[in-house]
Amino acid sequence: MTPQPIDNYRLTSLEEPTDEMLAQLMHEAAEEAKQKKEEATARFFEHLKRDAEKIAATW
């Protein structure tokens, strides 16, 4: 079986990924999840700060 670039690989029930491909897929998924978490956390604290400023302004 010839090695397949990760960009061309699709998970199907017909073929199993190699250990290297699976590791790369998992690594990329983890990196994407980490990035999305960091973005969501930043947005959360931006909203929290904005809401706190609005409340402080009404006092």
Side-chain angles (χ1 to χ4, degrees):
M1 184 172 180
T2 13
Q4 204 173 11
I6 196 71
D7 293 339
N8 296 333
Y9 183 76
R10 299 291 177 255
L11 291 174
T12 66
S13 60
L14 301 176
E15 59 183 307
E16 295 285 329
T18 63
D19 288 344
E20 293 81 18
M21 289 175 136
L22 190 55
Q24 186 174 353
L25 288 168
M26 292 171 55
H27 176 74
E28 289 174 7
E31 287 294 318
E32 184 178 347
K34 180 181 175 185
Q35 180 184 3
K36 286 182 178 183
K37 174 194 165 269
E38 290 171 354
E39 291 169 359
T41 300
R43 279 194 315 273
F44 171 77
F45 282 107
E46 286 172 18
H47 287 264
L48 190 64
K49 180 181 175 185
R50 195 173 330 132
D51 291 346
E53 288 170 352
K54 284 180 188 176
I55 292 170
T58 61
W59 287 80

